[in-house]
Amino acid sequence: MKRFVDLLLALGATLVLLLPILLVALAVKLTSPGPVLYWSDRVGRHNRIFRMPKFRSMRTGTPAVATHLLDNPGAYLTPIGSFLRRSSLDELPQLWSILVGDMSFVGPRPALFNQDDLIALRTAQGVHELVPGLTGWAQINGRDELPIPEKVRLDAEYLRRRSLGFDLRILWLTFIKVLRRDGVSH
């Protein structure tokens, strides 16, 4: 059922957001050299690596680490990178990952391939059994501001509580957070 809902929502969102997607792609291309999309190696269900697209908000050549691990993250942003991140527009290409089944709308955010501490904690809690999400319980409870153990605790709580109703609540709260730009540090 969840996969069916994901497909319907992803197809609908892609159609509705096609013009904004094209405008953001054009803005990325016109404001910085390099590709429009950044394909990031991420950890999916059962700790399988998949490639997740985002609109490129960082300059080409930025180290492939979590943003909070960079000495000066702002120095790596493209001219519109900060806006893309604050508005979450950089996430729009992830509709592709939902359509192909690598992601869901709701689940734990996919870890970077090199976030060994996060991957190990999630595996110990059974969270690695879930399909990663565009948004999740941890995202609406702190997003970039949460320490890894707290993220994993919230991901494990989602694992125990998951249901269509809980997913709808998370989607609604995500919409509110994005409008308010809550919990975005870069």
Side-chain angles (χ1 to χ4, degrees):
M1 176 77 163
K2 183 171 175 134
R3 178 73 183 128
F4 178 73
V5 171
D6 280 341
L7 279 172
L8 282 180
L9 285 176
L11 286 170
T14 300
L15 291 174
V16 169
L17 297 171
L18 188 58
L19 182 59
I21 289 169
L22 293 173
L23 290 174
V24 171
L26 182 63
V28 170
K29 191 65 178 168
L30 293 176
T31 58
S32 66
V36 169
L37 295 177
Y38 172 73
W39 291 85
S40 176
D41 287 339
R42 298 294 178 128
V43 178
R45 186 172 188 209
H46 303 298
N47 291 334
R48 181 184 59 84
I49 302 295
F50 73 97
R51 307 235 330 134
M52 183 187 82
K54 293 178 84 167
F55 281 122
R56 190 173 50 78
S57 62
M58 305 293 263
R59 299 180 191 281
T60 56
T62 299
V65 297
T67 306
H68 70 277
L69 295 177
L70 295 171
D71 287 333
N72 181 8
Y76 293 98
L77 289 170
T78 64
I80 63 169
S82 181
F83 168 74
L84 291 176
R85 286 173 166 244
R86 280 193 323 270
S87 63
S88 296
L89 290 171
D90 62 324
E91 311 282 351
L92 288 175
Q94 291 169 45
L95 288 169
W96 170 255
S97 294
I98 295 170
L99 286 169
V100 299
D102 288 331
M103 289 177 62
S104 177
F105 270 96
V106 180
R109 282 295 293 163
L112 286 165
F113 71 96
N114 57 4
Q115 287 182 293
D116 297 326
D117 50 351
L118 177 58
I119 296 163
L121 287 171
R122 282 181 170 171
T123 301
Q125 294 290 320
V127 174
H128 69 294
E129 297 291 330
L130 296 172
V131 175
L134 184 64
T135 187
W137 190 231
Q139 275 52 55
I140 62 166
N141 284 290
R143 203 171 176 173
D144 294 338
E145 299 164 352
L146 292 175
I148 287 174
E150 181 64 11
K151 279 183 188 178
V152 173
R153 186 191 69 74
L154 290 164
D155 291 339
E157 183 181 338
Y158 173 75
L159 174 65
R160 289 187 305 275
R161 294 179 59 188
R162 65 192 157 145
S163 68
L164 180 59
F166 195 39
D167 281 4
L168 292 174
R169 178 177 174 208
I170 291 169
L171 286 170
W172 172 251
L173 291 171
T174 298
F175 177 72
I176 299 300
K177 289 265 186 185
V178 168
L179 285 180
R180 293 181 182 160
R181 296 180 179 168
D182 287 348
V184 180
S185 59
H186 308 290

